[in-house]
Amino acid sequence: QVQLEESGGGLVQAGGSLRLSCAASGRTFSVSAMGWFRQAPGMEREFVAASPWSGANTYSADSVKGRLTVSKDDARNTMYLQMNSVKPEDTAVYFCVVRKGMTDVQSFNIPQVWHYWGQGTQVTVSS
């Protein structure tokens, strides 16, 4: 199995930036994709962004496109969510996710396709 350890959450002022990190450990040799979800208070879980582990293409939800960007460090099995120009509406618990088997990128927004989830890290944006 894969263990995911997040860091980087916290309190940030609207318009500011944060970078969330997620380090994968364990049986990471078959990891095929990584990404991020979030869940705001009283809201449903929402897809944020994801990318296949191999390749440079990324896929983002319309609500975060241009502001929240996923990236990775292949050698360290670490993924990141760069959060720029944050808004109070970005306040949520953010989860990093990883899957092992291949899947089409059009399924990235479906929680069920992701095999492993991090513990979640709180991001709070003040107005």
Side-chain angles (χ1 to χ4, degrees), residues 58-127:
T58 61
Y59 305 86
S60 302
D62 290 341
S63 60
V64 305
K65 197 178 298 292
R67 300 188 302 109
L68 277 57
T69 304
V70 67
S71 63
K72 62 185 184 295
D73 184 332
D74 294 347
R76 299 172 60 188
N77 283 335
T78 300
M79 55 183 171
Y80 307 94
L81 183 68
Q82 180 65 47
M83 305 176 63
N84 295 327
S85 302
V86 297
K87 304 176 180 179
E89 293 77 24
D90 294 322
T91 296
V93 177
Y94 284 74
F95 301 90
C96 61
V97 293
V98 164
R99 67 167 287 113
K100 287 194 170 183
M102 292 186 294
T103 189
D104 193 272
V105 296
Q106 66 185 10
S107 300
F108 279 175
N109 65 332
I110 302 175
Q112 289 87 337
V113 310
W114 299 97
H115 297 139
Y116 301 99
W117 293 69
Q119 75 280 9
T121 185
Q122 177 71 46
V123 173
T124 302
V125 181
S126 62
S127 59

